[in-house]
Amino acid sequence: MTFAGEAFWIGFGIITAILALLAGTRLLTHLLSTDEYGRLALAVSLAAMAVQIFGEPVGKTAVRFYSHWCAAGKPAGFVQRLGKSLSGAAVCIGLICAAIVISGNFIPGTPNLCFVVMTGIFALLLVCNRVGLALEDAARKRKFRGIVQGIFEAMRFIFAVGLIFFLATPEAETVLIGFAMAGGVIVIAHGIFLYLLIKPDPVKKTNLKKTSPVINTDHMRSFQSPLIVSNACIWLVMMAERWILQYYGSTGDVGGYAAVHQLAFVPMLFVSNFLVLFFEPILYQATRLNTKNAESIQALRINHYAAIGILCFSFCLFIIFFFWHPIVGRYVLGADFRAYTWLFPWLLLAGGCFAAAQQLLLKLNCEMRTDLLAVLWGVVAVIALTAYVIGAHFLQLKGILAAMVTVNVSLVLFLLFFLNKSSPVCDQPPV
C-alpha cells in the first residue's frame, strides 16, 4: 500500500471515530441526566487510566519493536510476549475491581457492583483493543485498522443507545454494558485478523534463519517500563481534574465538563494521533534500533512542523468557537448540557496544545529515551495536580478550566524550546 493509501485509511478510521463521537455524545446527552453522564464520565476516565497504564506501554512497544522481531522471523513469539503483558494487566484490573467492591462494605458512596464490574470489563477490552490496533499499525495494515476503529466507535454508541431504549434505563451502567458489548466484538475481530497475519510461514522462517538479527528482550523491558510511569502521569494530566471537580464541585458539573471535553479536547487528540499513527511505523522501520540517517532526521523535522501546524489550527478554532459556541452547542449537546458551551474554545485550545506536545514527544520514543519521558511527565503531573486542586478549591469549574489551559499551554511552549535544543536523531547502541 502506498503512503497515500495508508494516510487515507488512517484518516478514515479517525474521521469515522470523530463523527461517531459527535453523534453519540449528542444522543447520550439527550438521554442521560447531567448526574448520570457525570457517573459515566468517571467510569470512562477509569477505563482510560487502564489503557494509559497497561495498554499504551504495550502498544508503543509493539510498534517500536515489531519490525525488528519480524526481521528475526519471530512475529508469533513477539505477540506471545505481548500476551503475557496483557495477562498481567487483566490480573491487575481484576484485583483493583475486587478491592473496590470489598471496600464498598466499609466506605459509603462506593460505586455499586454492576458499575464496578462493567467498568473493569470495559477497561480490559479497551486495553486489548489498544494493543490490537498497535500491532496492526506496526504491520502497516492500515485498511483493517481504520475500518475496525471506525466500527468500534460507532458500534459502542449504537449498542449503548439501543440498550437504553430496550431496557428503558437511562443510567451509566446501561451505557457501560453497551460499550463492553461493542468492545468484545472488536477484540474478537482483532484476534482473528492477527492470527491470520502472524501464523508461522515455514518457507520464510527457513530463509531468515541465518540472517536474522539477535533478539534482546532487555531493550524491550527498558523501553516499556518507563512508559508505564509516563502514561500514568499522562492520565493524571488528562483525567484527574474530573475527580477533583467531583470532590470540590458536583457530579452534574463533571457531566457537563466531560461532555464538552469529549467534543472539544478529544478531537484535537485525534488530529495528532493521525500524524503519530502515520509517522511512527514508517520512522521505526527506517531507523530500526541503531541507525541515524537523513530520512529519520527529515521525518522528525516534518513532525516538528506538524506540531506547529496543530497549534495554529487550534488557535483558529479557539477564535471561531469563542464567538460561536452557543450556536454549536445547540446541535451537539442535549438541552441540559448547553449551559456548559462556554467551555468549548478553552478546551479546544488546551486539547490542541496537548496534541502538539504528543507530536513533539515522538522524538524521545524514537531515541529510546523513555526514561526521560517518564521524568518529564512526572513533573508535569505534579504541577497539573497542584494547579487543579488550587483552581477547584477556589473557583470550582472555572478554576479547573484555568488550570487545564495553563498547564497545557505551558507544556507545549516548554517542549518547543527544550526539544529545539537537541538534535533530532535516533541514536542507540546496536541490539
Side-chain angles (χ1 to χ4, degrees), residues 247-258:
Y247 182 80
Y248 286 101
S250 67
T251 306
D253 278 347
V254 174
Y257 171 85

Side-chain angles (χ1 to χ4, degrees), residues 195-253:
Y195 172 78
L196 295 175
L197 176 67
I198 66 169
K199 63 181 180 179
D201 184 343
V203 176
K204 196 172 184 181
K205 189 174 181 180
T206 302
N207 293 337
L208 288 170
K209 202 169 185 181
K210 294 182 180 180
T211 59
S212 61
V214 176
I215 296 297
N216 187 339
T217 57
D218 290 340
H219 283 80
M220 286 180 61
R221 283 192 291 270
S222 64
F223 180 85
Q224 183 175 326
S225 297
L227 288 176
I228 297 173
V229 177
S230 60
N231 280 282
C233 294
I234 289 172
W235 180 87
L236 291 173
V237 175
M238 287 182 61
M239 297 285 181
E241 84 282 12
R242 303 175 190 204
W243 293 90
I244 295 171
L245 182 59
Q246 163 79 1
Y247 182 80
Y248 286 101
S250 67
T251 306
D253 278 347

Side-chain angles (χ1 to χ4, degrees), residues 25-80:
T25 302
R26 178 65 179 85
L27 288 170
L28 290 181
T29 54
H30 176 71
L31 295 171
L32 300 180
S33 66
T34 54
D35 284 340
E36 285 299 320
Y37 199 92
R39 293 178 68 234
L40 174 64
L42 294 175
V44 171
S45 75
L46 291 175
M49 178 174 65
V51 174
Q52 288 292 335
I53 295 175
F54 301 114
E56 283 293 331
V58 179
K60 289 183 179 296
T61 302
V63 176
R64 187 67 182 90
F65 290 89
Y66 178 83
S67 61
H68 187 68
W69 280 70
C70 284
K74 299 176 180 179
F78 181 56
V79 173
Q80 288 173 359

